[in-house]
Amino acid sequence: MMEKQIVSYLPKLADFWRLEVEQLEEYYRELQGSSQFYEDLNQKVADVPQFSGTTFSRPMQLRVYRCMLYLFTRSHKPELFMETGVQHGFSSAVILLAMGKNQSGKLISVDIPPDDPRMTGQGTLGLPPGKGPGWIIPDRVRQRHELHLAPAEERVPRLLFKLAKLGGLDAFLHDSDHCYPHMMFEMALAWKYLPPRGMLLVDNIEQNTAFDEFSRNVDGDCITISSFDGPDRTWRHGLVRKPPANQG
Ligand SMILES: C[S@@+](CC[C@H](N)C(=O)[O-])C[C@H]1O[C@@H](n2cnc3c(N)ncnc32)[C@H](O)[C@@H]1O
């Protein structure tokens, strides 16, 4: 059975991505049936007290936003996908799982290690002792991953410049520092490098007005979706697509 929250978004996503809803349902069922992936995650968390009592067995434990990342990667088959913000590595893991199924694509992730003085100073929840960023990513799906441990504001401009010479990226996900200036910085930079029809995905847009202002001011189609864990735990996620080359 498909879970209610994500299922309610499938028609909206299908419409935005100009796909048949049945196609997304098929990819969602595929994610539901990825038992090896859940087993791999369970092995990773088995000896980690922070995850004690957690057993992964279904997509919604990964939240709506990460299910959406899986559906996006399966349906759009990005060759180059960049994300900022890795932490444990759940978003990276689902994107890499989808890329494995696509048998193509590379994910480039940029994250500040949790022991960086900037992060500890901001009170960011650390990783489990002895674990580094992306520790939860199953080894089985790591093959298409390139992880950079550096501040996004330093590393992302250089990477995007380099990638542009190699043909450019297809999708960019912001999930690092959600303060207004940093979100604006990443979104504007990614937008400059994304090709026509390229996709900008932004997590935690509820934190401030950056995404709403940005998406209103660029020439691109936009939708937002939400995740709910309870009345006091709601997140919003935004997607903006660049127009085709012959528009704008
Ligand atoms: C919300 S977590 C990422 C969660 C992950 N995308 C997922 O869905 O599983 C945010 C991460 O961004 C990192 N971060 C914060 N500011 C950053 C910056 N300026 N550059 C790179 N990483 C940053 C934090 O250390 C943390 O690991």
Side-chain angles (χ1 to χ4, degrees):
M1 215 179 72
M2 286 199 268
E3 294 157 288
K4 222 169 153 185
Q5 241 189 85
I6 181 72
V7 169
S8 67
Y9 283 116
L10 294 185
K12 186 173 179 176
L13 288 170
D15 185 50
F16 182 61
W17 290 337
R18 296 168 193 147
L19 298 166
E20 297 298 323
V21 75
E22 291 78 14
Q23 178 71 75
L24 293 186
E25 284 169 1
E26 197 180 315
Y27 288 140
Y28 185 74
R29 274 194 291 271
E30 179 183 90
L31 180 59
Q32 275 185 316
S34 299
S35 47
Q36 181 67 64
F37 180 68
Y38 302 115
E39 239 172 74
D40 290 343
L41 291 181
N42 290 332
Q43 268 183 25
K44 289 277 179 186
V45 302
D47 59 347
V48 180
Q50 194 174 324
F51 286 83
S52 112
T54 306
T55 308
F56 293 98
S57 61
R58 55 197 177 88
M60 281 304 290
Q61 289 170 298
L62 304 166
R63 301 221 171 102
V64 162
Y65 138 73
R66 300 196 188 95
C67 295
M68 181 275 289
L69 293 177
Y70 184 85
L71 299 177
F72 168 73
T73 308
R74 276 301 268 141
S75 57
H76 287 68
K77 307 196 174 10
E79 277 308 312
L80 272 178
F81 194 152
M82 184 180 286
E83 71 165 347
T84 61
V86 173
Q87 201 186 23
H88 306 297
F90 284 109
S91 55
S92 318
V94 293
I95 294 168
L96 289 166
L97 175 69
M99 285 183 167
K101 297 254 161 71
N102 291 343
Q103 297 187 344
S104 73
K106 182 174 178 177
L107 174 67
I108 300 172
S109 306
V110 181
D111 192 63
I112 291 183
D115 52 1
D116 185 289
R118 279 183 38 192
M119 293 330 297
T120 46
Q122 283 179 23
T124 294
L125 280 185
L127 296 176
K131 308 285 186 194
W135 65 274
I136 212 158
I137 304 169
D139 301 341
R140 225 180 279 278
V141 301
R142 275 184 190 268
Q143 193 193 344
R144 299 179 182 278
H145 199 207
E146 187 180 300
L147 175 59
H148 295 256
L149 298 182
E153 56 278 27
E154 282 174 31
R155 190 60 59 93
V156 172
R158 281 197 275 149
L159 284 170
L160 286 176
F161 183 70
K162 206 170 107 191
L163 291 175
K165 292 191 190 158
L166 302 174
L169 86 162
D170 304 301
F172 185 98
L173 166 64
H174 158 84
D175 193 13
S176 59
D177 182 347
H178 301 306
C179 72
Y180 180 98
H182 189 86
M183 287 182 76
M184 277 295 188
F185 165 76
E186 282 194 18
M187 291 187 292
L189 188 65
W191 197 252
K192 178 175 158 195
Y193 282 95
L194 281 167
R197 299 182 199 279
M199 195 72 70
L200 174 63
L201 305 111
V202 185
D203 193 24
N204 291 105
I205 63 171
E206 77 288 349
Q207 303 258 328
N208 54 57
T209 56
F211 179 83
D212 295 328
E213 287 175 30
F214 181 85
S215 58
R216 259 202 313 272
N217 283 292
V218 291
D219 180 22
D221 299 331
C222 160
I223 58 165
T224 63
I225 60 171
S226 310
S227 306
F228 308 97
D229 259 15
D232 54 343
R233 301 203 72 189
T234 301
W235 296 272
R236 286 178 66 228
H237 325 282
L239 296 87
V240 205
R241 179 181 46 229
K242 273 197 130 171
N246 57 354
Q247 264 184 34

